[in-house]
């Protein structure tokens, strides 16, 4: 058993949290992760409205009696979402765990804390983590540069960022970005984390509600197969390196740069969603982390979580033997 402040605070068996992925954080996956002993996370903005989020929460409850959470991410969007409406709907449906991420989260964090909820806040710098600590969050999710989606603009990979978190933070934190196996899990614990967050790895499970071709594409890919878009717009996102991502980057590199309007049609989330529906990896933009290089199969969530738990315990025991040998 890997017991940490995170398993105790969240009431889960294994300190593995599923990342709140756009178009992927739907009830079948969320319930499968929670039933496997981790914490599944529904992605609020994947639902077209707060009313649809209510339905998704009820659907998840039918599939699991275990705790699960809801993610709300505050980043630039083509159509501004009703963030407060989503937050209110989830709280009224009885959700008690929230993952917040993105820009200026203060109002949202206060909304949840005023209602007695537990907040995990995801951040990509120690400065933002300390600010979230002051806002009263319960757990930090420290997101290294390896991550899928938005790594921020300071480009600090997990090895250094997590060690800095150990030096600076008072609250328990989970490690996010670049983790897809037991080696990463054990390393995160060694770096002072009380658990891990995995997104891309959970896309490649039997229960992930995305087309089988995309799961197989991830298995066939290496750590060379991601790309950063939106660097020039200061909204960097790590996505799968496909024809659309390459085109976006070439438009951004034109003399004089690009405005968002020049790439809006290529990058829209509505188009990216079709990747997961049709199985065509070149249909639009889709998020993927460097951990694609570590993913070699498509297990059930139960198989994945229990394998990671067992192998991480083995690594920790073997590390103790290394330490003993080193002392002789
Ligand atoms: P969308 O269709 O509104 O936008 C597509 C992409 O363009 C997103 O990455 C968005 O951040 C970016 N974007 C939009 N307007 C921009 C602008 N003016 N300048 C620079 N970049 C801009 O996005 P969507 O797929 O419908 O997703 C809705 C929101 O959820 C977005 O903010 C997105 O970043 C965020 N998101 C969350 C997660 C998560 O894990 N929860 C994952 C992916 C995306």
């Amino acid at each position: 058993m890997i017991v940490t402040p995170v398993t105790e605070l969240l009431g889960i068996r294994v300190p593995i949290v599923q990342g709140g992925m756009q178009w992927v954080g739907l009830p079948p996956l969320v319930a499968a992760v929670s039933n496997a002993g981790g914490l599944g996370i529904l992605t609020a903005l994947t639902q077209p409205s707060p009313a649809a989020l209510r339905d998704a929460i009820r659907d998840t409850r039918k599939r699991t009696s275990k705790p699960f959470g809801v993610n709300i991410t505050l980043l630039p969007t083509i159509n501004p979402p009703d963030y407060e409406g989503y937050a209110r709907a989830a709280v009224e449906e009885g959700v008690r765990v929230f993952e917040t991420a993105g820009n200026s989260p203060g109002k949202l964090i206060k909304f949840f804390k005023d209602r007695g909820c537990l907040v995990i806040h995801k951040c990509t710098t120690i400065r933002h983590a300390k600010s979230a600590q002051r806002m009263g969050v319960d757990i930090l999710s420290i997101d290294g540069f390896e991550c899928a989606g938005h790594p921020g603009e300071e480009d600090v990979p997990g090895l250094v960022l997590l060690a800095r978190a150990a030096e600076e933070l008072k609250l328990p934190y989970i490690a996010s970005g670049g983790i897809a196996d037991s080696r990463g899990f054990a390393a995160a614990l060694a770096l002072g984390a009380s658990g891990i967050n995995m997104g891309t790895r959970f896309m490649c499970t039997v229960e992930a509600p995305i087309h089988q071709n995309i799961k197989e594409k991830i298995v066939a890919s290496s750590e060379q197969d991601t790309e950063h878009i939106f660097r020039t717009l200061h909204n960097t996102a790590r996505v799968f390196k496909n024809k659309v991502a390459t085109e976006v980057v070439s438009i951004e590199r034109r003399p004089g740069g690009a405005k968002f309007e020049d790439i809006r049609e290529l990058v829209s989330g509505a188009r990216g969603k079709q990747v997961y529906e049709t199985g065509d990896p070149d249909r639009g933009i889709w998020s993927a982390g460097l951990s694609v290089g570590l993913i070699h199969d498509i297990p059930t969530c139960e198989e994945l979580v229990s394998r990671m738990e067992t192998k991480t315990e083995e690594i920790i025991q073997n590390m103790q033997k290394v330490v003993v040998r080193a002392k002789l």
Side-chain angles (χ1 to χ4, degrees), residues 50-184:
L53 178 60
R54 285 181 190 272
D55 291 342
I57 292 166
R58 289 176 195 179
D59 183 4
T60 309
R61 281 235 171 79
K62 285 190 195 134
R63 297 165 186 263
T64 184
S65 56
K66 301 277 171 57
F68 63 91
V70 167
N71 160 285
I72 300 188
T73 298
L74 305 156
L75 286 168
T77 53
I78 293 174
N79 302 307
D82 175 11
Y83 294 115
E84 196 183 323
Y86 283 102
R88 195 172 294 283
V91 171
E92 284 175 9
E93 287 300 317
V95 174
R96 284 291 164 267
V97 179
F98 289 88
E99 181 193 57
T100 55
N103 305 327
S104 308
K107 206 171 138 199
L108 196 60
I109 290 170
K110 183 171 185 321
F111 179 88
F112 292 133
K113 290 312 301 173
D114 285 351
R115 285 154 184 82
C117 299
L118 189 144
V119 178
I120 306 170
H121 183 67
K122 185 181 266 198
C123 23
T124 57
T125 69
I126 299 303
R127 193 174 71 256
H128 289 122
K130 288 171 99 172
S131 162
Q133 249 181 192
R134 288 192 295 275
M135 289 174 195
V137 305
D138 303 275
I139 298 171
L140 292 152
S141 179
I142 303 297
D143 205 15
F145 191 54
E146 301 90 335
C147 70
H150 297 267
E153 308 304 320
E154 297 190 11
D155 304 4
V156 183
L159 196 57
V160 170
L161 197 61
L162 290 164
R164 289 284 298 126
E167 288 178 349
E168 297 272 352
L169 301 182
K170 295 189 187 73
L171 288 177
Y173 55 92
I174 56 175
S176 182
I179 302 168
D181 61 16
S182 50
R183 292 188 183 95

Side-chain angles (χ1 to χ4, degrees), residues 153 229-236 249 251-253 257-259 263:
E153 308 304 320
I229 60 168
F230 301 148
R231 286 246 87 166
T232 60
L233 300 174
H234 306 290
N235 183 32
T236 301
V249 171
I251 295 172
E252 285 191 79
R253 284 183 185 151
K259 294 197 229 28
I263 52 175

